[in-house]
Amino acid sequence: MTNPILQDWTTPFQIAPFDAISDQDFAPALEQALSAHRAEIDAITANPDAPSFANTVEALEAAGTGLDKVLSVFFTVAGADSNPAREALQREFSPKLAAHFSEISANKDLFRRIATIWDAHETLDLSPEQQRVLMLTHRGFVRSGAALEGADEARMKEIKSRLATLGTSFTQNLLADERDWYLELSDDDLEDLPKFVIDAARAAGADKGLDGPVVTLSRSVIVPFLQFSPRRDLRETAYRAWAARGANGGDTDNREVAGEILALRSERAKLLGYEDFAHYKLETEMAHEPGAVRDLLMAVWGPAKARADADADVLTAMMQDDGVNGALEAWDWRYYAEKRRKAEHDLDEAALKPYLQLDRMIEASFDCAHRLFGLEFKPLDIPLYHPDCRAWEVTRNGAHLAVFIGDYFARGSKRSGAWCSAMRAQAKFRVVQAPVVINVCNFAKGDPALLSYDDARTLFHEFGHALHQMLSDVTYESVSGTSVARDFVELPSQLYEHWLEVPEVLSKFATHAETGEAMPKAMLDKVLAAANFDMGFQTVEYVASALVDLAFHEGAAPSDPMQKQAEVLADLGMPAAIGMRHATPQFAHVFAGDGYSSGYYSYMWSEVMDADAFEAFEEAGDPFDPERARALEENILSTGGSRDAEELYTAFRGRLPGVEALLKGRGLAAK
Ligand SMILES: [Zn+2]
């Protein structure tokens, strides 16, 4: 019998036949798909004809369709609806997949064919997109070390394997320190804490098998405690433990681990012919080189520090009014900031919620896409992997464009957070593939389901990613949709959040669940103003981390990362009462793996662009300006990674972005 995952899908729009697939189908389907992919690669390298774009690069693009099918179905259900069988499969699959892909990237015969084509690229009659795909394919192989020979090749292997081990140790050490420490709270210690903080402390205690409430070092427990506990002594104890994670000496100390990781990364970049790791890493990004990152971060640092310094004065005065003398410390900031927030922006979350109904917010996100890009959404009744999933057919002028799936509610089988993925990416080679895109969120169920304002932003954010996939209009799948530079990928999503803030959108769709009345203007104003509260602090803690990350990877690797961190912070004049968002021994973004190493800046890079890009609509005087919307689709939402990010942005905006709109958006611009 044919495996239902690998046979042709005859369902509407060739959506995976979830009702016919069982967990037992995944492992055999994966084995079959892996060997089919291997055979396709072998056929490419065994081809007696001279290497050509068609018989090598296009053949690679076309290979692995079975693997795509298995992985898209498997990762969808493993992330959004897991169970013990799927968890076991995931543990089994991940080393297999890692080995499979590293075997391909180390395939010398394949690399020689690609290198031959690349050497001749200027003389080949290729479209701009084909040139780009060729460049990216070649670059990917070179960056993974395919061009190295002999001792260099062997050393690269050693470095990669040691880095993988160190990354795992870093994560495990951090987890161990977070798990081991807790602070027991007596009844007196709970006085004046809001109920939700007490509940969280009790739950944390129960989790540890204790009778009473505790503070732990998990962000969701300690941050509210620091915000709300009037007990300065307890705040200090908890904060000091939090700041010491990964730096407590002994087996779980991450300081030496960080040093070794930085040294190996630097060696790896040099082996590959780069000046340093930051240059290696940023080559594939829109920023291109460390100088551009530093310029951006420093342009934001000055105004952020000025705001934080001014805020520190206000908070110090509040503390002194409380009868506490001396300097404002890192364990005081959140507590006095929370008091100030209450005084200045008294926003009642409970009163706000009935205005943000999930179904109305989905309608709002669709309506904006209709007004901007002419998209229409029609509910689809098809079997999916969970009864909570909903699907829509997306059309434009009557023509099929995509299928959009929304899986909105939290449940135990779903991992936390929110994400967007393409179960099938858009492409035209070798066959035309219309995208199937899914948004997964973790909203609380209810009748009707109500969102917080943050939830509504998340909904718009993920839908922005979905638009990037659904409006994609490229030939090759490897450059389709969200296959773009890391510091560019959040532009469509963060940009789309701005439409939620358009007053006419909220006044039309934010209607009260019981009375049907539109959200009052005063409430809307409060929501928007509260979004920028304490932005000096938030920007300073983030930018300091991003600058330390950059300094670690530029030039020679520091022999003592902690000393390097101290030097960078001293040069910046880091405000004494603000810690880094992630200090070195806890900086998992940078040390747990390669993902955000010399890339922590990218959140802000994207924010610079989204603020600047939305300003294009504001300048036109209409948030739905048709000409700007067309330019956005033509140059950013439809192009995927088929052109360089900098070129795309410039084509949309007529220039590169400046930081002014971001500073204004964060309320940090000089008044
Ligand atoms: Zn995102």
Side-chain angles (χ1 to χ4, degrees), residues 345-398:
H345 299 278
D346 180 32
L347 177 67
D348 184 351
E349 286 275 343
L352 173 64
K353 257 196 159 181
Y355 289 99
L356 301 173
Q357 302 174 63
L358 171 64
D359 285 1
R360 296 291 283 154
M361 289 298 112
I362 295 172
E363 267 181 71
S365 68
F366 288 177
D367 187 64
C368 291
H370 177 68
R371 294 179 70 181
L372 289 162
F373 311 112
L375 306 188
E376 312 262 5
F377 297 80
K378 196 175 80 202
L380 265 183
D381 189 16
I382 46 171
L384 292 161
Y385 59 87
H386 192 280
D388 282 350
C389 294
R390 296 188 237 176
W392 290 265
E393 185 191 3
V394 187
T395 57
R396 178 155 56 183
N397 302 323

Side-chain angles (χ1 to χ4, degrees), residues 461 465 490 493:
H461 179 100
H465 284 307
E490 297 298 332
S493 51

